[in-house]
Amino acid sequence: MQRAIQKAFDLHTELFASPLNVHHNTTTYYAKYPRDMVFGARGSAWTANWMKLGAYQFNPKYTAADLKKALDCALAATDTTAPVFGVGIYLRQNTIQEAIYQP
């Protein structure tokens, strides 16, 4: 499924991938931890400039806190005049509810 999504939306950058699960069609990836740079990551997804990435996909760890933080980063990146912006995100339903519907 990830290959089909990457192809359909011309996605080449992945955020929150790890050296163990980065998709083989991904050309650029940012991990959760900067230490993964030794394995080819461009750095931490948390410190990447999301506005300059163009179209990307992200899959933060399945905690409501990380998901909310990642969604906030993606939304902040949409506040730009860049001509091309796209996001692909894979989520579990219960995690979405936890992140969005927090009291």
Side-chain angles (χ1 to χ4, degrees):
M1 181 165 97
Q2 185 169 349
R3 182 174 182 217
I5 292 170
Q6 286 178 326
K7 187 175 179 180
F9 296 100
D10 196 27
L11 301 173
H12 302 282
T13 301
E14 195 174 340
L15 299 173
F16 303 104
S18 81
L20 300 176
N21 74 3
V22 64
H23 194 271
H24 63 274
N25 288 342
T26 298
T27 58
T28 303
Y29 80 97
Y30 293 80
K32 181 174 181 177
Y33 304 104
R35 65 180 180 227
D36 289 336
M37 289 175 67
V38 298
F39 300 109
R42 292 277 177 103
S44 169
W46 296 123
T47 59
N49 186 341
W50 292 34
M51 276 191 216
K52 294 188 177 183
L53 294 177
Y56 56 86
Q57 59 189 343
F58 66 96
N59 184 11
K61 295 298 179 198
Y62 297 126
T63 67
D66 277 356
L67 174 57
K68 181 162 181 0
K69 185 176 176 181
L71 288 171
D72 288 344
C73 288
L75 289 172
T78 63
D79 187 20
T80 179
T81 58
V84 177
F85 179 81
V87 176
I89 182 168
Y90 306 105
L91 304 170
R92 290 185 332 187
Q93 182 63 32
N94 62 332
T95 307
I96 296 169
Q97 292 171 348
E98 292 173 17
I100 296 173
Y101 300 112
Q102 289 183 351

